[in-house]
Amino acid sequence: MYAQMVDTGVKRVQGLDEMSAEERAFQERIDAGIKIEAKDWMPEGYRRTLIRQISQHAHSEIVGQLPEGNWVTRAPSLKRKAILLAKIQDEAGHGLYLYSAAETLGVTRDQVYADLLSGKVKYSSIFNYPTTNWADIGTVGWLVDGAAIMNQIPLCRCSYGPYSRAMVRVCKEESFHQRQGYDLVMTMARGTPEQKQMAQDALNRWWWPALMMFGPPDSDSVHSAQSMQWKIKILSNDELRQKFVDQTVPQAEYLGLTVPDPELKWNEDTGHYDFGEIDWEEFRQVVAGNGPCNRDRLRTRVKAWDDGAWFRDALLAHAEKKSERQVAAAKAA
Amino acid sequence: MLLDDKSVYLMRLGDNALVLSQRLSEWCGKGPAFEEDMALTNIALDLIGQARMWLSYAGEVEGRGRDEDALAFRRDSHEFTNLLLVEQPNGDYAQTLVRQFFFDAWHQLVLEALRRSSDDRIADIAAKAIKEVAYHLRRSSDLVVRLGDGSAESRRRMQDAVDELWMFTGEMFNADETEELLGAQGLACDPSTLMDAWLAMVSEVFAEATLELPAGEWMQKGGKQGRHGEHLGLLLAEMQFLQRAYPGATW
């Protein structure tokens, strides 16, 4: 889940009888499961919310390259290095693909990217945590990509055509990422005592931030209700989080690793795992810019952009020269 | 001894691909444009695939039970036989690109020759790799033209990079006894035969890019024989960290 707390700009959700004729027709199409396409009429709030959601997702893919890139030069085998490079390349591709989906809504990639660099628009809180040992690379694939898939599979059915089609493609690659992540953690959990310690340490650090990826509890979110009416959010934060816990706990047990939550236990009555209280203050602080790596992540992207200015300018200068020459040649002919 | 020469030669091919891949992956997430991030990662991935094929084969021919990872992660700097060119630091993006262009142009010529190797497996690996390298060369030569003939700043950066790296290009064409021997047998390629074609290719691209070929004739050498600069040791320290810190573990 790479978009969190997406602001819909509304205080409460309107009923069909409160809407204009256009809005009502739009909502009825959505209710009937008909996709909205780029050239269709849409309420301004829908358009703006989607731009925020899709660009936040795109930014997360781009920033998400950094914690994994942190280990690419230290990957312990050539095969693992190749898998990690392929994964990072996929993520950059997802970013580009999602920026294109956002561009169908009338913004440019450079505009939305400038909002990331200025700190105006966020990316997922999860990428503000450090990758400190090699098992983190597997754990990120297992938990972070696992959580992302949980959110994105329903989004394949979302109301906006370009976004839903992007999600179909992204999900296929993400499930490969999750499998390779789990495989990496399994290799370490069954390895030497030092490797097992790394795997447990990684789970200890990533478990709670992974649960926070789904965003604040449903009780705190009016935006969720509007997004769900628009079908750009299909399941609620708490539903997704519960599904994730239910799926992941048995996987951890299979690995022989301990989920760092003393309150975690199977509930026969509900058929779900009960789990402990999430530290929402930590979540709010990380979203507000105070996570362990927020400043580093943004600084790295800003530096890359600034250092690359001469490169991008030169490509433009060359293109201009070339077209001038073509015009001159056409005149001479 | 033929087997030794052959494994030495295969290791050189693998080390070039491995070390350059490692350098390119240092750019991960830090390129000057999203498309460049993707392209560099893609090339790094191609090269690591090639490194794996060459090093696996080198290990088999050597017959001492060393696989691709033993060769990549448990040899020290003096046992690495890559060209000095590929171990040079990334510098700015101009330096990364010029290094890539010099190497790609040479790499394509080498692989073309190796496609006709009398050794079937060498010919197979070369045939697979050359498809990737043709794209690498197309991309790097196109960018050399666009940045050389771009803005005043990009031209200066590109020329600086050319001047900086030129002295590491001569080594690509020095045949040593191993290459002469294997070349004569039709198994490897004698690199001294590639010089003219390489220079013609570089001159043509530079003419369009308004870049100048440096006048300097003094060339560094020794990479292929394991005599490297200071940069390689640090590159290996980073790359080999986990295998060195936790020997015997499976990853």
Side-chain angles (χ1 to χ4, degrees), chain A residues 73-78 80-82 85 88-89 92 96 109 113 134 187 195 198 301 304 308 310 312 314 318 321 325, chain B residues 22 28-30 32 34-35 37-38 41-42 45 48 52 69 73 146 149-150 153-154 157 238-239 242-243 246 250-251:
Chain A
T73 55
R74 290 177 288 170
S77 77
L78 297 183
R80 292 285 181 203
K81 196 190 288 281
L85 277 168
I88 293 170
Q89 194 194 13
L96 288 185
R109 186 174 96 182
Y113 191 60
W134 172 249
T187 304
Q195 287 177 302
M198 288 183 217
R301 288 309 309 188
W310 70 267
R312 298 187 305 274
H318 177 78
K321 278 187 194 176
R325 276 177 216 145
Chain B
Q22 180 74 5
C28 190
K30 295 166 192 161
F34 300 130
E35 286 79 0
D37 268 342
M38 285 198 66
T41 315
N42 189 19
L45 193 54
I48 208 153
R52 294 180 67 189
D69 287 333
F73 296 98
R146 290 201 277 161
D149 185 25
E153 181 179 3
S154 70
R157 284 176 183 265
E238 184 175 355
M239 184 176 89
L242 281 167
Q243 288 265 2
Y246 303 97
T250 303
W251 302 93

Short mmCIF file of all heavy atoms in Angstrom, two decimals, chain A residues 73-78 80-82 85 88-89 92 96 109 113 134 187 195 198 301 304 308 310 312 314 318 321 325, chain B residues 22 28-30 32 34-35 37-38 41-42 45 48 52 69 73 146 149-150 153-154 157 238-239 242-243 246 250-251:
data_model
loop_
_atom_site.label_atom_id
_atom_site.label_comp_id
_atom_site.label_asym_id
_atom_site.label_seq_id
_atom_site.Cartn_x
_atom_site.Cartn_y
_atom_site.Cartn_z
N THR A 73 24.84 -3.02 -3.70
CA THR A 73 26.29 -3.18 -3.89
C THR A 73 26.89 -4.18 -2.90
O THR A 73 28.05 -4.53 -3.00
CB THR A 73 27.03 -1.83 -3.72
OG1 THR A 73 26.68 -1.28 -2.44
CG2 THR A 73 26.65 -0.85 -4.82
N ARG A 74 26.09 -4.62 -1.92
CA ARG A 74 26.60 -5.58 -0.93
C ARG A 74 25.86 -6.91 -0.96
O ARG A 74 26.00 -7.71 -0.03
CB ARG A 74 26.48 -4.97 0.49
CG ARG A 74 27.44 -3.83 0.73
CD ARG A 74 27.24 -3.21 2.10
NE ARG A 74 26.00 -2.43 2.16
CZ ARG A 74 25.48 -1.94 3.27
NH1 ARG A 74 26.08 -2.16 4.43
NH2 ARG A 74 24.36 -1.23 3.24
N ALA A 75 25.06 -7.13 -1.99
CA ALA A 75 24.33 -8.40 -2.08
C ALA A 75 25.33 -9.56 -2.03
O ALA A 75 26.37 -9.50 -2.67
CB ALA A 75 23.52 -8.45 -3.36
N PRO A 76 25.02 -10.61 -1.24
CA PRO A 76 26.04 -11.62 -0.96
C PRO A 76 26.22 -12.72 -2.01
O PRO A 76 27.07 -13.58 -1.84
CB PRO A 76 25.57 -12.23 0.35
CG PRO A 76 24.09 -12.05 0.33
CD PRO A 76 23.82 -10.80 -0.44
N SER A 77 25.41 -12.72 -3.07
CA SER A 77 25.67 -13.66 -4.16
C SER A 77 25.27 -12.97 -5.46
O SER A 77 24.48 -12.02 -5.45
CB SER A 77 24.89 -14.97 -3.99
OG SER A 77 23.54 -14.77 -4.35
N LEU A 78 25.82 -13.45 -6.56
CA LEU A 78 25.51 -12.81 -7.85
C LEU A 78 24.04 -13.00 -8.20
O LEU A 78 23.41 -12.13 -8.77
CB LEU A 78 26.43 -13.35 -8.94
CG LEU A 78 27.91 -13.05 -8.74
CD1 LEU A 78 28.73 -13.57 -9.92
CD2 LEU A 78 28.18 -11.56 -8.54
N ARG A 80 21.49 -13.28 -6.05
CA ARG A 80 20.70 -12.34 -5.24
C ARG A 80 20.85 -10.92 -5.75
O ARG A 80 19.91 -10.13 -5.72
CB ARG A 80 21.13 -12.40 -3.77
CG ARG A 80 20.79 -13.70 -3.06
CD ARG A 80 19.32 -13.79 -2.73
NE ARG A 80 19.02 -15.04 -2.02
CZ ARG A 80 17.82 -15.60 -1.98
NH1 ARG A 80 16.79 -15.04 -2.61
NH2 ARG A 80 17.64 -16.72 -1.33
N LYS A 81 22.05 -10.58 -6.18
CA LYS A 81 22.27 -9.23 -6.70
C LYS A 81 21.42 -9.01 -7.96
O LYS A 81 20.78 -7.97 -8.12
CB LYS A 81 23.76 -9.02 -7.02
CG LYS A 81 24.15 -7.55 -7.19
CD LYS A 81 25.56 -7.39 -7.75
CE LYS A 81 26.65 -7.74 -6.76
NZ LYS A 81 26.90 -6.66 -5.78
N ALA A 82 21.39 -10.02 -8.82
CA ALA A 82 20.60 -9.90 -10.05
C ALA A 82 19.11 -9.78 -9.72
O ALA A 82 18.40 -8.95 -10.31
CB ALA A 82 20.86 -11.11 -10.95
N LEU A 85 18.47 -6.27 -8.35
CA LEU A 85 18.51 -5.27 -9.43
C LEU A 85 17.23 -5.32 -10.27
O LEU A 85 16.66 -4.29 -10.62
CB LEU A 85 19.71 -5.51 -10.35
CG LEU A 85 21.05 -4.93 -9.90
CD1 LEU A 85 22.18 -5.51 -10.76
CD2 LEU A 85 21.07 -3.41 -9.99
N ILE A 88 14.41 -3.70 -8.31
CA ILE A 88 14.52 -2.24 -8.28
C ILE A 88 14.15 -1.65 -9.64
O ILE A 88 13.47 -0.62 -9.73
CB ILE A 88 15.94 -1.82 -7.85
CG1 ILE A 88 16.17 -2.23 -6.39
CG2 ILE A 88 16.13 -0.32 -8.02
CD1 ILE A 88 17.60 -2.09 -5.92
N GLN A 89 14.54 -2.34 -10.68
CA GLN A 89 14.18 -1.86 -12.01
C GLN A 89 12.66 -1.91 -12.22
O GLN A 89 12.07 -1.00 -12.78
CB GLN A 89 14.89 -2.72 -13.07
CG GLN A 89 14.83 -2.08 -14.43
CD GLN A 89 15.20 -3.04 -15.53
OE1 GLN A 89 15.28 -4.25 -15.32
NE2 GLN A 89 15.43 -2.52 -16.71
N ALA A 92 11.17 1.15 -10.47
CA ALA A 92 11.30 2.38 -11.26
C ALA A 92 10.27 2.37 -12.39
O ALA A 92 9.64 3.38 -12.69
CB ALA A 92 12.72 2.51 -11.80
N LEU A 96 7.20 5.06 -13.26
CA LEU A 96 6.94 5.70 -14.56
C LEU A 96 5.53 5.41 -15.05
O LEU A 96 4.84 6.28 -15.59
CB LEU A 96 7.96 5.21 -15.60
CG LEU A 96 9.37 5.72 -15.42
CD1 LEU A 96 10.25 5.25 -16.57
CD2 LEU A 96 9.40 7.23 -15.36
N ARG A 109 4.27 15.00 -15.23
CA ARG A 109 5.14 14.27 -14.32
C ARG A 109 6.05 15.23 -13.57
O ARG A 109 6.24 15.09 -12.36
CB ARG A 109 5.97 13.28 -15.15
CG ARG A 109 6.82 12.37 -14.32
CD ARG A 109 7.49 11.35 -15.21
NE ARG A 109 8.83 11.77 -15.58
CZ ARG A 109 9.62 11.07 -16.39
NH1 ARG A 109 9.19 9.95 -16.93
NH2 ARG A 109 10.84 11.50 -16.65
N TYR A 113 6.26 15.60 -9.56
CA TYR A 113 7.56 15.25 -8.96
C TYR A 113 8.13 16.43 -8.17
O TYR A 113 8.72 16.26 -7.10
CB TYR A 113 8.54 14.78 -10.04
CG TYR A 113 9.78 14.16 -9.45
CD1 TYR A 113 9.68 13.05 -8.63
CD2 TYR A 113 11.04 14.70 -9.67
CE1 TYR A 113 10.81 12.48 -8.05
CE2 TYR A 113 12.17 14.14 -9.11
CZ TYR A 113 12.05 13.03 -8.29
OH TYR A 113 13.16 12.48 -7.71
N TRP A 134 21.20 -7.52 5.75
CA TRP A 134 20.78 -8.11 4.47
C TRP A 134 19.39 -8.73 4.54
O TRP A 134 18.64 -8.73 3.57
CB TRP A 134 21.84 -9.12 3.99
CG TRP A 134 21.40 -9.90 2.79
CD1 TRP A 134 21.10 -11.22 2.73
CD2 TRP A 134 21.19 -9.39 1.45
NE1 TRP A 134 20.71 -11.58 1.46
CE2 TRP A 134 20.75 -10.47 0.65
CE3 TRP A 134 21.31 -8.13 0.86
CZ2 TRP A 134 20.45 -10.34 -0.71
CZ3 TRP A 134 21.00 -7.99 -0.48
CH2 TRP A 134 20.58 -9.08 -1.26
N THR A 187 15.82 -18.59 3.53
CA THR A 187 17.21 -19.03 3.46
C THR A 187 17.97 -18.60 4.71
O THR A 187 18.76 -19.37 5.27
CB THR A 187 17.88 -18.44 2.20
OG1 THR A 187 17.11 -18.83 1.07
CG2 THR A 187 19.31 -18.95 2.05
N GLN A 195 22.74 -15.64 10.77
CA GLN A 195 21.74 -15.30 9.75
C GLN A 195 20.33 -15.29 10.34
O GLN A 195 19.51 -14.44 10.02
CB GLN A 195 21.80 -16.30 8.58
CG GLN A 195 23.03 -16.10 7.69
CD GLN A 195 23.09 -17.15 6.60
OE1 GLN A 195 23.12 -18.34 6.90
NE2 GLN A 195 23.12 -16.72 5.35
N MET A 198 19.78 -12.15 12.14
CA MET A 198 19.49 -11.04 11.23
C MET A 198 18.03 -11.07 10.80
O MET A 198 17.36 -10.04 10.73
CB MET A 198 20.37 -11.12 9.98
CG MET A 198 21.84 -10.79 10.21
SD MET A 198 22.74 -10.85 8.61
CE MET A 198 24.28 -11.55 9.12
N ARG A 301 17.06 12.28 -3.13
CA ARG A 301 16.33 12.53 -4.39
C ARG A 301 16.55 13.96 -4.88
O ARG A 301 16.67 14.20 -6.09
CB ARG A 301 14.83 12.26 -4.21
CG ARG A 301 14.44 10.80 -4.09
CD ARG A 301 14.96 9.86 -5.16
NE ARG A 301 14.73 10.27 -6.53
CZ ARG A 301 14.97 9.51 -7.61
NH1 ARG A 301 15.42 8.27 -7.46
NH2 ARG A 301 14.78 9.96 -8.81
N ALA A 304 19.98 14.12 -6.43
CA ALA A 304 20.00 13.45 -7.74
C ALA A 304 19.39 14.38 -8.81
O ALA A 304 19.91 14.51 -9.92
CB ALA A 304 19.23 12.13 -7.68
N GLY A 308 21.52 16.33 -11.69
CA GLY A 308 21.17 15.92 -13.05
C GLY A 308 20.67 17.06 -13.93
O GLY A 308 20.37 16.84 -15.11
N TRP A 310 22.12 19.63 -15.36
CA TRP A 310 22.92 19.89 -16.57
C TRP A 310 22.65 18.83 -17.63
O TRP A 310 22.62 19.14 -18.83
CB TRP A 310 24.42 19.94 -16.25
CG TRP A 310 25.03 18.61 -15.88
CD1 TRP A 310 25.16 18.09 -14.64
CD2 TRP A 310 25.55 17.63 -16.79
NE1 TRP A 310 25.74 16.84 -14.71
CE2 TRP A 310 25.99 16.53 -16.01
CE3 TRP A 310 25.70 17.56 -18.18
CZ2 TRP A 310 26.57 15.39 -16.57
CZ3 TRP A 310 26.28 16.41 -18.74
CH2 TRP A 310 26.71 15.35 -17.94
N ARG A 312 19.80 17.03 -18.08
CA ARG A 312 18.48 17.22 -18.70
C ARG A 312 18.49 18.47 -19.59
O ARG A 312 17.93 18.46 -20.69
CB ARG A 312 17.40 17.30 -17.61
CG ARG A 312 17.28 16.02 -16.78
CD ARG A 312 16.09 16.05 -15.81
NE ARG A 312 16.10 17.21 -14.93
CZ ARG A 312 16.76 17.27 -13.77
NH1 ARG A 312 17.44 16.22 -13.33
NH2 ARG A 312 16.73 18.36 -13.04
N ALA A 314 21.02 19.69 -21.16
CA ALA A 314 21.82 19.42 -22.37
C ALA A 314 21.01 18.63 -23.40
O ALA A 314 21.12 18.88 -24.61
CB ALA A 314 23.09 18.64 -22.00
N HIS A 318 20.36 19.98 -27.10
CA HIS A 318 20.68 19.20 -28.30
C HIS A 318 19.45 19.07 -29.21
O HIS A 318 19.54 19.23 -30.42
CB HIS A 318 21.19 17.80 -27.93
CG HIS A 318 21.47 16.95 -29.12
ND1 HIS A 318 22.61 17.09 -29.89
CD2 HIS A 318 20.75 15.98 -29.72
CE1 HIS A 318 22.58 16.23 -30.89
NE2 HIS A 318 21.45 15.54 -30.82
N LYS A 321 18.97 22.31 -31.04
CA LYS A 321 19.95 22.46 -32.12
C LYS A 321 19.56 21.60 -33.32
O LYS A 321 19.65 22.02 -34.46
CB LYS A 321 21.33 21.98 -31.66
CG LYS A 321 22.10 22.98 -30.86
CD LYS A 321 23.51 22.40 -30.63
CE LYS A 321 24.24 23.16 -29.57
NZ LYS A 321 25.54 22.55 -29.27
N ARG A 325 18.66 22.86 -37.06
CA ARG A 325 19.41 22.40 -38.24
C ARG A 325 18.47 21.83 -39.30
O ARG A 325 18.67 22.04 -40.49
CB ARG A 325 20.42 21.33 -37.85
CG ARG A 325 21.72 21.91 -37.34
CD ARG A 325 22.65 20.78 -36.89
NE ARG A 325 23.40 21.18 -35.72
CZ ARG A 325 23.76 20.38 -34.73
NH1 ARG A 325 23.43 19.11 -34.76
NH2 ARG A 325 24.46 20.84 -33.72
N GLN B 22 28.96 -3.54 -10.95
CA GLN B 22 29.00 -3.04 -9.58
C GLN B 22 29.05 -1.52 -9.56
O GLN B 22 28.35 -0.86 -8.79
CB GLN B 22 30.23 -3.64 -8.88
CG GLN B 22 30.43 -3.21 -7.44
CD GLN B 22 29.45 -3.87 -6.46
OE1 GLN B 22 28.67 -4.73 -6.84
NE2 GLN B 22 29.50 -3.44 -5.22
N CYS B 28 22.17 3.44 -8.30
CA CYS B 28 20.78 3.01 -8.09
C CYS B 28 19.93 4.07 -7.36
O CYS B 28 20.22 4.42 -6.22
CB CYS B 28 20.81 1.72 -7.28
SG CYS B 28 19.22 0.97 -7.21
N GLY B 29 18.90 4.53 -8.02
CA GLY B 29 17.99 5.52 -7.42
C GLY B 29 18.54 6.93 -7.39
O GLY B 29 17.95 7.83 -6.81
N LYS B 30 19.70 7.16 -8.04
CA LYS B 30 20.33 8.48 -7.95
C LYS B 30 20.64 9.09 -9.31
O LYS B 30 21.39 10.06 -9.42
CB LYS B 30 21.64 8.36 -7.15
CG LYS B 30 21.39 7.98 -5.71
CD LYS B 30 22.67 7.52 -5.01
CE LYS B 30 22.32 6.88 -3.68
NZ LYS B 30 23.38 6.05 -3.14
N PRO B 32 20.15 11.00 -13.10
CA PRO B 32 19.69 12.35 -13.41
C PRO B 32 18.27 12.41 -13.98
O PRO B 32 17.73 13.50 -14.13
CB PRO B 32 20.70 12.85 -14.44
CG PRO B 32 21.19 11.61 -15.09
CD PRO B 32 21.17 10.53 -14.06
N PHE B 34 14.50 9.65 -14.42
CA PHE B 34 13.97 8.31 -14.13
C PHE B 34 14.40 7.30 -15.20
O PHE B 34 14.72 6.16 -14.91
CB PHE B 34 12.44 8.32 -14.06
CG PHE B 34 11.89 9.23 -13.02
CD1 PHE B 34 10.91 10.15 -13.33
CD2 PHE B 34 12.36 9.16 -11.71
CE1 PHE B 34 10.40 10.99 -12.35
CE2 PHE B 34 11.85 10.01 -10.74
CZ PHE B 34 10.86 10.92 -11.07
N GLU B 35 14.35 7.74 -16.44
CA GLU B 35 14.70 6.83 -17.54
C GLU B 35 16.15 6.38 -17.43
O GLU B 35 16.49 5.25 -17.81
CB GLU B 35 14.46 7.50 -18.89
CG GLU B 35 13.00 7.64 -19.29
CD GLU B 35 12.28 8.81 -18.61
OE1 GLU B 35 12.93 9.52 -17.81
OE2 GLU B 35 11.09 9.00 -18.86
N ASP B 37 17.84 6.10 -14.55
CA ASP B 37 17.86 5.13 -13.45
C ASP B 37 17.53 3.74 -13.98
O ASP B 37 18.18 2.75 -13.66
CB ASP B 37 16.80 5.49 -12.40
CG ASP B 37 17.35 6.38 -11.30
OD1 ASP B 37 18.58 6.45 -11.15
OD2 ASP B 37 16.55 7.01 -10.60
N MET B 38 16.49 3.71 -14.79
CA MET B 38 16.06 2.41 -15.32
C MET B 38 17.08 1.82 -16.27
O MET B 38 17.36 0.63 -16.23
CB MET B 38 14.73 2.57 -16.05
CG MET B 38 13.59 2.74 -15.10
SD MET B 38 12.02 2.39 -15.90
CE MET B 38 12.16 0.67 -16.25
N THR B 41 20.20 0.53 -14.38
CA THR B 41 19.90 -0.71 -13.67
C THR B 41 19.80 -1.86 -14.66
O THR B 41 20.29 -2.97 -14.40
CB THR B 41 18.58 -0.59 -12.89
OG1 THR B 41 18.57 0.66 -12.21
CG2 THR B 41 18.43 -1.69 -11.88
N ASN B 42 19.19 -1.58 -15.78
CA ASN B 42 19.04 -2.59 -16.82
C ASN B 42 20.40 -3.08 -17.33
O ASN B 42 20.65 -4.28 -17.47
CB ASN B 42 18.22 -1.96 -17.96
CG ASN B 42 17.81 -2.99 -18.99
OD1 ASN B 42 17.80 -4.19 -18.72
ND2 ASN B 42 17.48 -2.52 -20.18
N LEU B 45 22.19 -5.09 -14.79
CA LEU B 45 21.59 -6.43 -14.74
C LEU B 45 22.10 -7.30 -15.89
O LEU B 45 22.44 -8.47 -15.69
CB LEU B 45 20.07 -6.26 -14.81
CG LEU B 45 19.17 -7.44 -14.49
CD1 LEU B 45 19.49 -8.02 -13.13
CD2 LEU B 45 17.70 -6.97 -14.52
N ILE B 48 25.65 -8.32 -15.08
CA ILE B 48 25.82 -9.31 -14.03
C ILE B 48 25.44 -10.70 -14.58
O ILE B 48 26.07 -11.71 -14.22
CB ILE B 48 25.05 -8.95 -12.76
CG1 ILE B 48 25.76 -9.57 -11.58
CG2 ILE B 48 23.62 -9.42 -12.76
CD1 ILE B 48 25.54 -8.84 -10.34
N ARG B 52 28.07 -13.82 -14.62
CA ARG B 52 27.76 -15.15 -14.07
C ARG B 52 28.11 -16.25 -15.07
O ARG B 52 28.66 -17.29 -14.70
CB ARG B 52 26.29 -15.23 -13.68
CG ARG B 52 25.94 -14.30 -12.52
CD ARG B 52 24.47 -14.40 -12.16
NE ARG B 52 24.16 -15.70 -11.61
CZ ARG B 52 22.92 -16.13 -11.37
NH1 ARG B 52 21.89 -15.35 -11.65
NH2 ARG B 52 22.72 -17.33 -10.86
N ASP B 69 30.25 -17.52 -7.36
CA ASP B 69 30.32 -16.71 -6.14
C ASP B 69 31.69 -16.80 -5.46
O ASP B 69 32.18 -15.81 -4.92
CB ASP B 69 29.20 -17.11 -5.16
CG ASP B 69 27.84 -16.63 -5.64
OD1 ASP B 69 27.79 -15.60 -6.37
OD2 ASP B 69 26.82 -17.27 -5.31
N PHE B 73 33.42 -13.31 -4.88
CA PHE B 73 33.43 -12.79 -3.51
C PHE B 73 34.64 -13.21 -2.68
O PHE B 73 34.82 -12.73 -1.58
CB PHE B 73 32.14 -13.21 -2.78
CG PHE B 73 30.90 -12.62 -3.40
CD1 PHE B 73 30.12 -13.35 -4.28
CD2 PHE B 73 30.54 -11.29 -3.14
CE1 PHE B 73 28.99 -12.79 -4.86
CE2 PHE B 73 29.41 -10.72 -3.71
CZ PHE B 73 28.64 -11.48 -4.59
N ARG B 146 24.59 13.43 -27.97
CA ARG B 146 23.66 14.45 -27.49
C ARG B 146 24.26 15.34 -26.41
O ARG B 146 23.98 16.53 -26.35
CB ARG B 146 22.37 13.78 -26.98
CG ARG B 146 21.57 13.17 -28.12
CD ARG B 146 20.12 12.98 -27.74
NE ARG B 146 19.90 11.75 -27.00
CZ ARG B 146 18.82 11.53 -26.25
NH1 ARG B 146 17.89 12.44 -26.12
NH2 ARG B 146 18.68 10.37 -25.63
N ASP B 149 27.34 17.43 -28.08
CA ASP B 149 26.76 18.51 -28.87
C ASP B 149 25.48 19.01 -28.19
O ASP B 149 24.45 19.17 -28.83
CB ASP B 149 26.45 17.98 -30.28
CG ASP B 149 25.95 19.08 -31.20
OD1 ASP B 149 26.28 20.25 -30.95
OD2 ASP B 149 25.21 18.76 -32.15
N GLY B 150 25.57 19.27 -26.89
CA GLY B 150 24.41 19.73 -26.14
C GLY B 150 24.60 21.17 -25.71
O GLY B 150 24.62 22.08 -26.53
N GLU B 153 28.05 23.54 -20.98
CA GLU B 153 28.46 22.81 -19.77
C GLU B 153 28.59 21.31 -20.04
O GLU B 153 29.54 20.67 -19.61
CB GLU B 153 27.46 23.03 -18.63
CG GLU B 153 27.91 22.29 -17.37
CD GLU B 153 26.98 22.46 -16.17
OE1 GLU B 153 25.93 23.12 -16.30
OE2 GLU B 153 27.33 21.92 -15.10
N SER B 154 27.62 20.77 -20.78
CA SER B 154 27.67 19.32 -21.01
C SER B 154 28.88 18.97 -21.89
O SER B 154 29.52 17.95 -21.68
CB SER B 154 26.36 18.81 -21.62
OG SER B 154 26.19 19.24 -22.95
N ARG B 157 31.93 19.00 -19.64
CA ARG B 157 31.96 17.81 -18.77
C ARG B 157 32.34 16.56 -19.56
O ARG B 157 33.10 15.71 -19.07
CB ARG B 157 30.58 17.59 -18.12
CG ARG B 157 30.27 18.54 -16.97
CD ARG B 157 28.86 18.27 -16.48
NE ARG B 157 28.41 19.16 -15.43
CZ ARG B 157 28.50 18.88 -14.12
NH1 ARG B 157 29.02 17.75 -13.72
NH2 ARG B 157 28.05 19.74 -13.23
N GLU B 238 33.40 -3.45 -0.30
CA GLU B 238 31.95 -3.27 -0.19
C GLU B 238 31.21 -4.50 -0.74
O GLU B 238 30.35 -5.08 -0.08
CB GLU B 238 31.55 -2.02 -0.95
CG GLU B 238 30.08 -1.67 -0.83
CD GLU B 238 29.73 -0.35 -1.49
OE1 GLU B 238 30.65 0.35 -1.98
OE2 GLU B 238 28.55 -0.01 -1.53
N MET B 239 31.61 -4.90 -1.92
CA MET B 239 30.90 -5.99 -2.60
C MET B 239 31.02 -7.30 -1.84
O MET B 239 30.07 -8.08 -1.76
CB MET B 239 31.46 -6.15 -4.02
CG MET B 239 30.75 -7.18 -4.86
SD MET B 239 31.40 -7.23 -6.54
CE MET B 239 32.70 -8.43 -6.35
N LEU B 242 29.64 -9.31 3.03
CA LEU B 242 28.90 -10.38 3.73
C LEU B 242 29.60 -11.73 3.61
O LEU B 242 29.68 -12.50 4.58
CB LEU B 242 27.47 -10.48 3.20
CG LEU B 242 26.51 -9.42 3.76
CD1 LEU B 242 25.22 -9.39 2.94
CD2 LEU B 242 26.19 -9.67 5.23
N GLN B 243 30.11 -12.02 2.43
CA GLN B 243 30.79 -13.31 2.23
C GLN B 243 32.06 -13.40 3.08
O GLN B 243 32.43 -14.47 3.55
CB GLN B 243 31.15 -13.49 0.74
CG GLN B 243 29.94 -13.76 -0.13
CD GLN B 243 29.73 -15.26 -0.35
OE1 GLN B 243 30.46 -16.09 0.17
NE2 GLN B 243 28.71 -15.59 -1.15
N TYR B 246 30.91 -13.50 7.05
CA TYR B 246 30.22 -14.73 7.48
C TYR B 246 30.59 -15.88 6.57
O TYR B 246 29.76 -16.38 5.81
CB TYR B 246 28.70 -14.50 7.48
CG TYR B 246 28.29 -13.34 8.35
CD1 TYR B 246 28.06 -12.08 7.80
CD2 TYR B 246 28.16 -13.49 9.73
CE1 TYR B 246 27.71 -11.01 8.61
CE2 TYR B 246 27.81 -12.43 10.55
CZ TYR B 246 27.59 -11.19 9.97
OH TYR B 246 27.25 -10.13 10.77
N THR B 250 25.21 -19.78 3.55
CA THR B 250 24.53 -19.83 2.26
C THR B 250 23.52 -18.70 2.21
O THR B 250 22.80 -18.48 3.19
CB THR B 250 23.79 -21.18 2.11
OG1 THR B 250 24.75 -22.22 2.28
CG2 THR B 250 23.13 -21.30 0.75
N TRP B 251 23.49 -18.02 1.09
CA TRP B 251 22.63 -16.82 1.03
C TRP B 251 21.48 -17.01 0.08
O TRP B 251 20.75 -16.13 -0.26
CB TRP B 251 23.46 -15.60 0.63
CG TRP B 251 24.57 -15.38 1.59
CD1 TRP B 251 25.85 -15.86 1.47
CD2 TRP B 251 24.53 -14.67 2.84
NE1 TRP B 251 26.60 -15.48 2.57
CE2 TRP B 251 25.81 -14.75 3.41
CE3 TRP B 251 23.52 -13.97 3.51
CZ2 TRP B 251 26.11 -14.15 4.64
CZ3 TRP B 251 23.82 -13.38 4.72
CH2 TRP B 251 25.11 -13.48 5.29
#
